Amino acid sequence: MGDLLWRSISGQGGGEYELPSVGIRDIEIIQSGGSSTVVTTTGVGGGVMSFDLSQGSTAVVNDSEMFGSGYTLAGTGTLNMLSTQGQNYLVSGVSATGQLLAHGLNADGSLTGQSILDTGVAAGSGSVAVSVSAGGMTYVAGSDASGGYIQGFNASGQGGLVAGQMMRDTDQSHMSNPVDMTSVRVGDTDFVLGLCGDASGVSAYAVTGSNGQLDVRSTLGAADGFGILSAPQAIEVISAHGATYVIVASASQMGQGGALSVMELDATGTLVPTDHVLELV
């Protein structure tokens, strides 16, 4: 994907760009006010770049930032969006000291500099899987040497983020290796839903406090006899016919088709299996 994107990039005056335009690992597309911005990240030793898509088929470089010295990414380059008080942040990974690396993104596609957010994860290892917003908080799911976690953040009042409650994976949850996450409000309660790659299961957390406290309400997955396959890929939420449904896409590690698993989420946070569709190959 990185090579294909690089072939379409042109800068001001047609100039070429060095790092961080080489070795692109992940891409986010942000749409705002009729315009589209593409943001990319590299692996270790690179940085992030933003591209304007308003000038036709060619992506034009808008801004770029190198990763700060001393903050080597632990794991492969990933990019996830955080939003709080109207400010977007691009989370690019976890540092060697166990801190979250984020870059502010303005509406015009310019970058505001690297922010270092304390997560409390173990130093020297870790990865960020995904981020969502729920109940006025922003949550980041990832894993480190101690296992999977969900970290809550709230606004600092000065355009930044302050780490709040961290929820570790337990025997009552499926979050040892989070691969995707989403959020939804059902009735008067906000929920965070996490998808685990190791357990092939879903955990439903209720947001119960102003500091981002999460309460595990239910889990559902392969261990419960539900047919999520061994390589979960994505989780989405839809509302239809007066109910809220959670849909999980999974694949077989042997490459023999995939599956869609559907479950209903009620106002108490209980996950109830409703359907499972296998791909025929």
Side-chain angles (χ1 to χ4, degrees):
M1 180 180 294
D3 289 340
L4 291 174
L5 180 65
W6 171 237
R7 292 192 185 107
S8 73
I9 292 172
S10 68
Q12 289 79 0
E16 294 186 356
Y17 285 77
E18 302 298 331
L19 289 173
S21 63
V22 177
I24 292 172
R25 301 290 185 86
D26 201 4
I27 295 174
E28 282 282 342
I29 300 176
I30 300 98
Q31 295 180 324
S32 176
S35 63
S36 298
T37 300
V38 171
V39 187
T40 66
T41 187
T42 69
V44 175
V48 296
M49 296 186 76
S50 68
F51 303 92
D52 181 17
L53 297 184
S54 65
Q55 301 184 38
S57 60
T58 300
V60 178
V61 174
N62 189 327
D63 202 355
S64 65
E65 289 177 354
M66 302 296 291
F67 296 136
S69 60
Y71 293 97
T72 302
L73 289 181
T76 60
T78 61
L79 200 61
N80 296 287
M81 287 293 299
L82 295 174
S83 296
T84 180
Q85 291 187 328
Q87 174 67 56
N88 289 327
Y89 293 89
L90 299 159
V91 178
S92 52
V94 177
S95 75
T97 55
Q99 295 172 308
L100 205 64
L101 304 181
H103 301 260
L105 178 68
N106 292 324
D108 62 1
S110 60
L111 301 166
T112 65
Q114 181 171 280
S115 299
I116 306 300
L117 308 175
D118 187 13
T119 63
V121 303
S125 68
S127 62
V128 176
V130 71
S131 56
V132 299
S133 296
M137 295 286 295
T138 297
Y139 295 91
V140 173
S143 60
D144 62 12
S146 299
Y149 65 87
I150 300 178
Q151 172 74 66
F153 293 92
N154 53 31
S156 67
Q158 300 176 347
L161 295 172
V162 177
Q165 182 77 16
M166 173 181 279
M167 185 74 174
R168 285 284 182 181
D169 182 46
T170 69
D171 293 339
Q172 286 74 47
S173 61
H174 295 321
M175 283 298 282
S176 58
N177 177 30
V179 296
D180 200 6
M181 189 165 60
T182 188
S183 61
V184 66
R185 185 174 181 85
V186 182
D188 296 326
T189 306
D190 292 294
F191 293 96
V192 174
L193 298 154
L195 176 62
C196 180
D198 290 344
S200 294
V202 175
S203 296
Y205 300 86
V207 181
T208 60
S210 60
N211 197 37
Q213 291 93 334
L214 297 175
D215 177 30
V216 180
R217 292 295 176 86
S218 66
T219 61
L220 186 61
D224 308 298
F226 197 44
I228 299 176
L229 299 183
S230 57
Q233 302 294 313
I235 184 171
E236 295 288 346
V237 174
I238 65 169
S239 296
H241 309 294
T244 300
Y245 297 98
V246 181
I247 302 176
V248 171
S250 59
S252 168
Q253 291 182 336
M254 302 302 293
Q256 299 180 358
L260 291 177
S261 305
V262 185
M263 57 205 85
E264 183 177 353
L265 177 69
D266 67 20
T268 69
T270 301
L271 292 165
V272 179
T274 60
D275 205 353
H276 180 72
V277 181
L278 283 169
E279 179 185 12
L280 298 178
V281 294

